[in-house]
Amino acid sequence: GAVVSQHPSWVICKSGTSVKIECRSLDFQATTMFWYRQFPKQSLMLMATSNEGSKATYEQGVEKDKFLINHASLTLSTLTVTSAHPEDSSFYICSAAGQGYGQPQHFGDGTRLSIL
Amino acid sequence: RKEVEQDPGPFNVPEGATVAFNCTYSNSASQSFFWYRQDCRKEPKLLMSVYSSGNEDGRFTAQLNRASQYISLLIRDSKLSDSATYLCVETNFNKFYFGSGTKLNVKP
């Protein structure tokens, strides 16, 4: 089945640090990748939709200068949390949808980010 | 109004029970539908696609009712390992809409 790899799985760092998370589709080409955030006991929240070779589309309330997304190839998207603060601590999950009509999303394992 | 609505539960059922979840959607033009399961502190995993004719995968049956705009998931002979949150998803031109999830607790 389709595999999406996300790295790192867990990050603990000091306030003010920038953190980069990678999302790779390993066995298929993903025109579109998605970035989500999930707080404990809450639903997935879509942050942005990333299309290869173009600027990401951010959901309302998500700061594009805070959460930098790059989707340079059909198999790699990155999310950089710039100058992270404790309130940015969350579970960040990427997903990728294959090319073609009606393809489901496949999720990476997620990155647990803790800012001290 | 949300695109996709789900009863958050929790549904507490004994092992061996049959349980069903429904999920309603608002966009009649929605193209594809899926069920995912998400375990605590883990990423969602695709459980099954949902087809108009209905489809079955072992103990799981998914159905789509376009006239009433809902999809359903039936789980037969529940196992302890079925305890999770079940998310329904509808898509329209590569935009995905997730329900907030229905929590299932299967108890011994």
Side-chain angles (χ1 to χ4, degrees):
Chain A
V3 177
V4 175
S5 169
Q6 189 172 338
H7 177 81
S9 301
W10 203 296
V11 181
I12 302 174
C13 56
K14 291 182 182 178
S15 187
T17 308
S18 291
V19 179
K20 187 176 183 178
I21 303 170
E22 290 189 351
C23 181
R24 294 180 186 272
S25 56
L26 297 186
D27 54 356
F28 67 103
Q29 293 187 324
T31 311
T32 306
M33 287 186 170
F34 304 86
W35 288 96
Y36 294 85
R37 182 163 57 177
Q38 188 172 36
F39 293 104
K41 301 194 182 207
Q42 292 189 22
S43 306
L44 280 177
M45 189 189 81
L46 179 65
M47 298 176 69
T49 302
S50 166
N51 290 297
E52 185 264 338
S54 62
K55 289 184 180 179
T57 303
Y58 289 81
E59 295 299 301
Q60 195 170 11
V62 179
E63 300 172 58
K64 64 178 192 250
D65 295 328
K66 171 81 173 174
F67 300 100
L68 301 178
I69 291 172
N70 183 281
H71 191 161
S73 77
L74 284 171
T75 59
L76 173 65
S77 176
T78 60
L79 168 68
T80 302
V81 184
T82 60
S83 187
H85 289 96
E87 60 267 26
D88 298 322
S89 299
S90 188
F91 188 43
Y92 291 85
I93 318 173
C94 74
S95 70
Q99 295 171 319
Y101 171 84
Q103 296 297 310
Q105 288 185 30
H106 299 278
F107 287 84
D109 291 342
T111 297
R112 207 159 293 284
L113 176 62
S114 296
I115 307 298
L116 306 177
Chain B
R1 187 186 167 185
K2 287 184 181 178
E3 286 276 344
V4 178
E5 301 265 12
Q6 278 186 265
D7 181 344
F11 284 56
N12 298 307
V13 303
E15 266 188 292
T18 295
V19 61
F21 312 131
N22 277 352
C23 176
T24 58
Y25 61 94
S26 59
N27 186 352
S28 58
S30 295
Q31 298 162 330
S32 303
F33 303 86
F34 307 96
W35 282 102
Y36 286 75
R37 72 169 276 168
Q38 185 176 22
D39 293 287
C40 189
R41 298 170 68 83
K42 295 280 193 178
E43 79 282 11
K45 291 189 189 299
L46 179 64
L47 184 63
M48 58 199 301
S49 302
V50 187
Y51 303 118
S52 297
S53 53
N55 48 302
E56 192 173 301
D57 182 1
R59 298 180 294 108
F60 299 84
T61 301
Q63 294 206 304
L64 165 63
N65 185 317
R66 283 199 182 271
S68 301
Q69 293 184 204
Y70 74 86
I71 64 171
S72 63
L73 178 68
L74 180 80
I75 306 176
R76 287 181 298 278
D77 188 23
S78 301
K79 311 288 184 196
L80 296 177
S81 56
D82 294 334
S83 296
T85 296
Y86 290 83
L87 306 166
C88 64
V89 181
E90 56 109 342
T91 78
N92 189 9
F93 291 105
N94 217 30
K95 286 188 83 68
F96 290 76
Y97 300 95
F98 281 75
S100 53
T102 298
K103 190 167 173 57
L104 172 65
N105 295 318
V106 181
K107 302 193 181 290

